[in-house]
Amino acid sequence: MNAPQSATETPDAAQDTVWVETVPLIDRIPRSVQMAFVFVVFVALWDVVTRSGLVSAIILPTPWETARDLVFVGRNLITGDYMLRALWTTIKEVIYGFALAIAIGFTLGVIVGETAFGERAIMPYLVAIDTMPKVAFAPLFVAWLGFDIHSKVALAAFIATFPIVVGTAAGLHAADANARMLFKTMGASRWQTLIKLKLLTGLPQIFTGLKIAAVGVMAGAITGEFLGGGKGFGELIRVAASNLNTPRVFSLILYLSIVGLALYAFVTWVQRTFVFWHKDQVLRGAD
Amino acid sequence: MSTAAAANPMPGVTAGAPVYELEGVGKTYARNNLVALEAVNLTLTKGSFSAVIGSSGCGKSTLLKIMAGLIPPSTGRVTLQGRPVTGPRRDIGMMFQQATLFPWRTTIDNIVLPIEIRDGKSAARAARDRARELLELVGLKGFENVYPNELSGGMAQRAAICRMLITEPAVLLLDEPFSALDELSRDFMNMELQRICRSREATAFLVTHSIPEAVILSDVVYVMKPRPGRIAEVIEIDLPRPRTLDMMTTPKFGQLVDKIRSRLDKEAFL
Ligand SMILES: Nc1ncnc2c1ncn2[C@@H]1O[C@H](COP(=O)(O)OP(=O)(O)O)[C@@H](O)[C@H]1O
Ligand SMILES: [Mg+2]
């Protein structure tokens, strides 16, 4: 169907059949511009709300105050002052907690995913513990391990272990019947099947578990600091909040989220490197 | 009776020495108490090509798995090259409907996987030259270092053939290997399969749904009947070798196909 005016303009048939694909406006704008737009709108709204006196400055600082405090905290971090030491403490808790969670979670995951005994006798307990609100264990960890970094590492690891167990156990079941049968025809031992087939096939699920754990380990460390004191970033946040220094709380949270993001990005990077082969279908067979 | 096959296993095909011998092989799956196979007797001679055809669920895969040593039979015994089959063996090569190449390995690393599993990494490295020759044999030269998700369905099955052949098995057990391919590739792959079997004097046993495929490839076709699975008929295919796709239009071919179809039709309503 050609519009009347274009019919008079171009009589040749080829012109009529050209079907120009219309790209929606939203696809023509770069993603970065769209994200910047959201950011600007968000800050503008924030500014209006705080400036108009709708919300008290103690509850919500203005964007400007927050920015100024961000610079202050950033300077303190760069010059290696007490905030950097606090941040380093928290980073250590996160790293140790994550490493511990990986070691325990992976081992338990293999036991539960590979052995019938683990699946029948151990998994139900893990599921039961996983459904508990794990932060509630924080006072226990403090009582057992003290106010130092250990209790925070323990809580962080405790929270992060379960997603790794679940991811590993699920991953070990991901290899399909054909692949298992093929390994059997090749005379593969149980160990070979585990290493060369099941773990590799399960890597996507294992990494999904690791990513959830990376988020949880952060939450665990900070919760541990809130409830058990210490010298970490969580303690700085707690002190700032009790002094009603809201801009400080905001900027500390922002810097903390950079640590969380970095950990998440690291796990994603490792995944991209090792699971380069993963398309949507795991095994290639017939089309 | 179903023991017709036992009385005279493979009339006419007596050329080679027996390689595979099945005596009274039966299988009852304990899980659901299902008799999947009952008293199967058959003998495959060296260098022969046999096909087994039958409706879905009549026990073809079960038979193949028992022959491959993947599952134990409930009754009877299987002997390969004079030794009883009690588990997977390297003189047995197997292929399934799915190519099942592992996406984290290049094509050549997929092909040497059976060697890596049986003899270790260094043996697998030593087998790479042989793997390259096999890739050339199936027309995949130059695809050594390509990852499987870049291969088409037909190419993946060809790589699976190489993986089956790398251990130089004496017998090939093929469970509907090309049934997931389109018809054109399938005819082509069947001719390739024939060429490979002839060049290596391999004994082949093919499970298929397709009567023409069974006829064009085989010396003997076993017709299976279900509930319980058993070999009901042994049909000898005396078309000359090598077989060509042109033979599929000859009256003789048509007669053989019709004969097998009539046997299958009868059984389908029992
Ligand atoms: N592991 C198993 N446990 C129980 N029953 C099975 C099992 N494998 C196959 N069967 C049953 O045995 C019969 C034969 O199956 P199968 O050998 O796969 O047939 P085919 O390959 O001819 O389609 C079917 O009825 C199937 O449901
Ligand atoms: Mg089958």
Side-chain angles (χ1 to χ4, degrees):
Chain A
M1 302 297 121
N2 43 7
Q5 68 271 44
S6 75
T8 54
E9 181 70 42
T10 54
D12 66 301
Q15 196 73 25
D16 286 349
T17 56
V18 170
W19 181 20
V20 181
E21 198 177 351
T22 52
V23 181
L25 186 64
I26 198 79
D27 287 347
R28 276 182 276 168
I29 301 170
R31 185 176 169 183
S32 51
V33 174
Q34 297 182 33
M35 286 177 69
F37 172 75
V38 172
F39 181 75
V40 169
V41 169
F42 174 74
V43 173
L45 278 176
W46 180 6
D47 195 49
V48 168
V49 167
T50 47
R51 233 179 253 276
S52 63
L54 217 64
V55 182
S56 136
I58 293 172
I59 293 171
L60 187 65
T62 62
W64 174 242
E65 281 175 305
T66 309
R68 229 177 13 202
D69 206 79
L70 267 176
V71 172
F72 176 82
V73 175
R75 260 209 206 112
N76 195 306
L77 286 172
I78 286 166
T79 54
D81 211 344
Y82 70 100
M83 285 187 187
L84 185 69
R85 284 196 296 279
L87 186 63
W88 179 236
T89 302
T90 301
I91 290 175
K92 269 197 297 196
E93 290 163 5
V94 166
I95 291 174
Y96 294 157
F98 199 43
L100 202 61
I102 290 173
I104 298 171
F106 186 72
T107 309
L108 276 177
V110 169
I111 291 170
V112 163
E114 176 65 10
T115 70
F117 174 78
E119 182 160 15
R120 285 181 206 144
I122 300 177
M123 194 60 177
Y125 290 105
L126 294 178
V127 172
I129 299 172
D130 194 24
T131 55
M132 298 176 188
K134 286 178 278 299
V135 255
F137 285 77
L140 270 183
F141 285 125
V142 174
W144 291 336
L145 300 166
F147 290 94
D148 210 0
I149 164 171
H150 302 100
S151 53
K152 288 87 190 176
V153 171
L155 185 65
F158 186 54
I159 290 176
T161 294
F162 294 93
I164 301 177
V165 175
V166 172
T168 306
L172 291 182
H173 286 118
D176 68 1
N178 282 310
R180 285 161 201 259
M181 180 114 74
L182 185 71
F183 262 68
K184 220 171 161 190
T185 66
M186 296 190 288
S189 64
R190 184 173 184 174
W191 176 252
Q192 284 175 319
T193 309
L194 177 64
I195 300 294
K196 288 178 199 281
L197 174 64
K198 292 187 184 178
L199 279 175
L200 283 164
T201 309
L203 278 182
Q205 280 97 329
I206 294 174
F207 272 103
T208 303
L210 285 174
K211 283 183 188 169
I212 299 170
V215 176
V217 81
M218 236 7 241
I222 295 302
T223 311
E225 288 174 348
F226 282 171
L227 297 170
K231 304 192 194 80
F233 230 53
E235 177 67 7
L236 293 189
I237 294 175
R238 200 186 57 77
V239 170
S242 61
N243 293 339
L244 297 182
N245 187 353
T246 339
R248 179 60 46 84
V249 174
F250 271 73
S251 51
L252 288 173
I253 290 174
L254 271 169
Y255 281 105
L256 198 58
S257 67
I258 292 173
V259 175
L261 265 176
L263 185 65
Y264 194 86
F266 173 73
V267 175
T268 308
W269 174 78
V270 175
Q271 177 178 27
R272 291 243 177 86
T273 313
F274 284 96
V275 200
F276 63 90
W277 42 265
H278 183 67
K279 296 268 159 75
D280 283 328
Q281 91 271 38
V282 176
L283 294 176
R284 176 83 193 198
D287 289 5
Chain B
M1 259 305 286
S2 61
T3 44
N8 187 4
M10 275 196 284
V13 189
T14 47
V19 177
Y20 239 126
E21 284 166 289
L22 275 72
E23 288 167 64
V25 169
K27 178 74 186 178
T28 305
Y29 283 111
R31 187 161 58 90
N32 42 4
N33 205 23
L34 181 120
V35 184
L37 273 186
E38 194 182 66
V40 170
N41 297 287
L42 62 85
T43 305
L44 306 183
T45 56
K46 184 158 174 54
S48 66
F49 199 116
S50 320
V52 56
I53 196 159
S55 56
S56 216
C58 74
K60 305 182 296 294
S61 295
T62 302
L63 176 63
L64 219 64
K65 282 178 202 164
I66 291 172
M67 290 172 77
L70 293 175
I71 55 172
S74 311
T75 62
R77 74 177 146 193
V78 181
T79 316
L80 171 60
Q81 307 206 92
R83 281 195 298 137
V85 175
T86 53
R89 277 164 54 164
R90 76 184 304 152
D91 52 355
I92 302 172
M94 231 186 150
M95 223 177 127
F96 305 100
Q97 186 175 344
Q98 308 296 331
T100 313
L101 299 175
F102 298 105
W104 53 81
R105 288 173 167 262
T106 58
T107 304
I108 196 161
D109 284 336
N110 264 289
I111 290 168
V112 298
L113 179 63
I115 303 279
E116 184 180 317
I117 283 178
R118 288 187 192 273
D119 307 321
K121 281 221 159 70
S122 60
R125 228 170 295 126
R128 288 173 81 91
D129 283 336
R130 203 140 38 84
R132 261 180 224 108
E133 283 166 26
L134 286 171
L135 278 168
E136 203 169 339
L137 176 78
V138 301
L140 279 183
K141 194 175 186 319
F143 286 89
E144 288 87 351
N145 298 317
V146 163
Y147 283 93
N149 48 29
E150 291 169 47
L151 300 178
S152 72
M155 288 157 93
Q157 275 301 16
R158 279 187 247 176
I161 293 179
C162 296
R163 182 180 55 199
M164 168 177 74
L165 295 175
I166 192 82
T167 51
E168 309 198 315
V171 293
L172 309 180
L173 303 179
L174 310 156
D175 197 347
E176 307 183 21
F178 308 132
S179 59
L181 302 184
D182 61 89
E183 202 168 325
L184 289 175
S185 333
R186 187 153 134 184
D187 285 343
F188 178 76
M189 293 299 290
N190 280 334
M191 290 301 110
E192 292 277 294
L193 183 61
Q194 173 184 233
R195 183 169 64 86
I196 289 164
C197 288
R198 280 172 68 87
S199 70
R200 325 188 126 232
E201 290 181 29
T203 310
F205 192 68
L206 170 79
V207 166
T208 179
H209 269 128
S210 156
I211 302 174
E213 183 175 89
V215 172
I216 201 69
L217 285 171
S218 314
D219 302 307
V220 191
V221 175
Y222 297 93
V223 177
M224 274 188 80
K225 289 192 178 183
R227 278 164 271 127
R230 62 204 188 270
I231 291 175
E233 200 100 33
V234 184
I235 294 161
E236 201 187 316
I237 311 294
D238 49 0
L239 294 169
R241 289 224 180 249
R243 308 273 169 81
T244 59
L245 291 175
D246 297 338
M247 287 181 185
M248 295 176 97
T249 54
T250 62
K252 173 106 199 187
F253 183 88
Q255 282 159 19
L256 286 163
V257 168
D258 287 344
K259 187 172 169 186
I260 295 172
R261 176 163 294 132
S262 69
R263 302 298 199 274
L264 281 170
D265 279 349
K266 250 190 288 166
E267 148 255 340
F269 300 102
L270 287 181

